[in-house]
Amino acid sequence: MKKPLPTIGVDKYTFFAVTEDENGTITYGNPYELKGVVEVTPTDAGGSDVFDADNGAYDVYTYIEKIGHEIVNADIPSEVELMWRGLKRKYSVVDVGTNMSPVYFGVTWRVLKSDGTYRYVRYYKGSYSFPSNVGGKTKPSSGAPNRQTAKATFTAVQRPSDGLYYSFVDEGDFSMDREVFERNWFSNMTYYPGDEISSGSWEA
């Protein structure tokens, strides 16, 4: 059994708009890599319920809830906010109302471990929530500028075809070259290592 390794970095946070989700299938748009990722933290929580019968514990039901993650970023650019909120510009102006519908995305990233290898994570479908960025602060008259970050929460929902929320794979659990794997992983939300062999093609 492999020992768990400390994680020391995260990058290549890439999201894909869900373009279709009908008849048990899901398709995605083009990838968009968000720069400036500081931290990604899972929000998963879980527990267990005991069903009592025959004067004792009869069955135990375990569950996971609040599936998703929080992201801390150096900034959320305006074009990303428009996509995540499902908004558009009108003569360069962004109008925000209360009748917005959820916009769904798939997302993937990689986590660097202390031995120099990566863990690759992807969530198949979910939506973003985050506070407004229209606030401000008076510019200081002297001294170094203050650092600030932006935060967002990705709440996952089940993929309709099989009920999955997310998946992950560690480098070393597949035999192909890292560069080739990443080229496929970060461009195709439904990619699995070995798809190139079974399909008779290899994206390299």
Side-chain angles (χ1 to χ4, degrees), residues 9-135:
V10 59
D11 67 348
K12 295 186 74 67
Y13 189 93
T14 305
F15 61 89
F16 305 71
V18 174
T19 56
E20 184 177 350
D21 183 9
E22 295 179 353
N23 302 319
T25 61
I26 185 169
T27 58
Y28 301 90
N30 295 326
Y32 186 107
E33 184 178 348
L34 179 64
K35 300 295 185 181
V37 177
V38 177
E39 184 178 6
V40 179
T41 305
T43 57
D44 300 12
S48 61
D49 289 326
V50 178
F51 175 68
D52 292 319
D54 293 335
N55 201 33
Y58 185 81
D59 193 15
V60 178
Y61 171 72
T62 61
Y63 59 90
I64 303 176
E65 60 183 5
K66 299 179 181 178
I67 298 176
H69 60 271
E70 292 182 347
I71 176 174
V72 179
N73 212 65
D75 185 25
I76 298 178
S78 60
E79 65 269 20
V80 173
E81 178 170 355
L82 291 178
M83 287 187 281
W84 285 1
R85 293 192 191 275
L87 301 174
K88 295 182 179 179
R89 297 185 189 275
K90 182 178 180 181
Y91 305 112
S92 302
V93 177
V94 180
D95 292 322
V96 181
T98 59
N99 59 346
M100 294 183 296
S101 299
V103 182
Y104 292 106
F105 297 88
V107 61
T108 182
W109 66 88
R110 67 179 186 178
V111 180
L112 178 62
K113 297 188 289 185
S114 58
D115 66 347
T117 63
Y118 286 96
R119 167 167 289 178
Y120 300 90
V121 183
R122 67 183 173 199
Y123 284 72
Y124 293 107
K125 183 181 179 182
S127 61
Y128 289 94
S129 60
F130 50 98
S132 172
N133 65 356
V134 297

Side-chain angles (χ1 to χ4, degrees), residues 183-199:
R183 191 171 296 132
N184 287 277
W185 183 267
F186 290 105
S187 64
N188 183 353
M189 274 294 299
T190 60
Y191 168 76
Y192 283 86
D195 282 352
E196 318 83 355
I197 300 174
S198 60
S199 65

